[in-house]
């Protein structure tokens, strides 16, 4: 029988938790080492290439042609990109809300039918990259903002739908059970028991979705959706490096503005909790 007066020793790692932790870390390191060897990645050559990148940028992309991005046509393209992100984000969020409701296990109206439909819809939109969506819609609808908005809508459905569903599954079930006991139908339960608990989180997610959609809108435009991305693609193909540098700087500036605006809006929403 152990002596109760024996002082206990504190240990940071306990067996077998320490074995699992260090074993997993060792396996990850071994896999990374094998991947570098299998892909024949030359680390010194890679570091040297990063150093040479500075010289290439200074020789080919400096000074940027800033008057080009102040042209009326390019400023209209910026407005087109903003419109694409707003329309795609708004439509995606609106369509993501019912899909998130269906795919949330705790409040799904029909777990046998609507739950797999909602889950499949969200997963399908998330599984396909926005560039692939753009290529698909361009092949069907042709070049232009309609294809870009459609691609961003599908992207936002997958992005926002997953976050919405996670928020719904984390709600308190007391109000939901009370509404069900009172004889409320699934739609009434969602409106009066679920929405009041998630409306602030939904607002923050919607703002963040627009922020991500604006960044994706440039990539969508590069593949045929119009806007700033179309100007970037045209000048890259024409080897107008100074204009490309100016366009990249304008994209960075617009993303910074969008990041500041979305961060301020999310902070305001969080204060409303």
């Amino acid at each position: 029988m152990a002596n109760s007066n024996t002082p206990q020793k504190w240990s940071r790692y306990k067996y077998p938790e320490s074995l699992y932790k260090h074993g997993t870390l060792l396996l990850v390191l071994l896999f990374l080492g094998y991947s570098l060897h299998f892909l024949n990645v030359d680390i010194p050559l890679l570091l040297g290439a990063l150093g040479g990148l500075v010289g290439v940028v200074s020789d080919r992309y400096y000074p940027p042609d800033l008057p080009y991005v102040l042209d009326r046509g390019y400023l209209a393209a910026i407005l087109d990109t903003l419109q694409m992100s707003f329309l795609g984000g708004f439509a995606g969020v609106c369509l993501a809300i019912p899909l998130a409701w269906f795919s949330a296990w705790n409040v799904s109206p029909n777990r046998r039918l609507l739950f797999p439909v909602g889950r499949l819809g969200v997963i399908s939109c998330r599984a396909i990259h926005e560039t692939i969506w753009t290529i698909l819609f361009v092949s069907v609808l042709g070049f232009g903002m309609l294809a870009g908005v459609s691609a961003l809508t599908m992207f936002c459905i997958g992005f926002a739908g997953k976050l919405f569903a996670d928020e719904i599954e984390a709600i308190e079930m007391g109000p939901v059970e009370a509404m069900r006991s009172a004889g409320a139908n699934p739609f009434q339960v969602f409106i009066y028991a679920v929405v009041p608990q998630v409306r602030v989180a939904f607002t923050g997610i919607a703002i963040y979705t627009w922020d991500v959609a604006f960044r994706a809108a440039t990539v969508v435009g590069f593949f045929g959706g119009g806007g700033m991305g179309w100007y970037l693609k045209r000048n890259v193909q024409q080897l107008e490096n100074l204009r490309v540098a100016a366009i990249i700087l304008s994209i960075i500036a617009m993303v910074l503005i969008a990041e500041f605006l979305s961060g301020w809006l999310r902070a305001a929403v969080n204060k409303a909790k």
Side-chain angles (χ1 to χ4, degrees), residues 89-234:
F90 179 78
V93 167
C94 291
L95 294 174
I97 291 176
L99 286 178
W101 174 31
F102 296 160
S103 60
W105 178 258
N106 54 341
V107 296
S108 181
N110 190 320
R111 293 181 178 178
R112 292 184 178 181
L113 178 61
L114 294 181
F115 175 78
V117 170
R119 186 70 70 173
L120 179 62
V122 173
I123 292 176
S124 299
C125 293
R126 291 181 66 237
I128 302 177
H129 197 266
E130 64 265 20
T131 57
I132 307 301
W133 280 122
T134 307
I135 294 172
L136 292 175
F137 282 111
V138 165
S139 63
V140 175
L141 302 174
F143 294 96
M145 291 185 60
L146 180 58
V149 171
S150 301
L152 288 176
T153 299
M154 301 303 293
F155 165 73
C156 292
I157 290 174
F159 181 84
K162 172 63 177 176
L163 298 178
F164 285 163
D166 291 342
E167 287 292 335
I168 293 175
E169 290 181 341
I171 64 172
E172 294 290 337
M173 291 300 294
V176 175
E177 297 297 337
M179 291 288 296
R180 289 173 176 172
S181 300
N185 58 47
F187 183 74
Q188 292 173 328
V189 171
F190 179 75
I191 294 298
Y192 296 106
V194 177
V195 172
Q197 298 188 60
V198 298
R199 65 175 184 272
V200 176
F202 273 24
T203 304
I205 293 172
I207 296 171
Y208 185 55
T209 301
W210 169 77
D211 185 16
V212 176
F214 177 76
R215 302 180 190 190
T218 303
V219 180
V220 168
F222 191 91
F223 286 89
M228 292 187 295
W230 181 83
Y231 272 82
L232 179 62
K233 179 180 181 180
R234 187 182 70 176

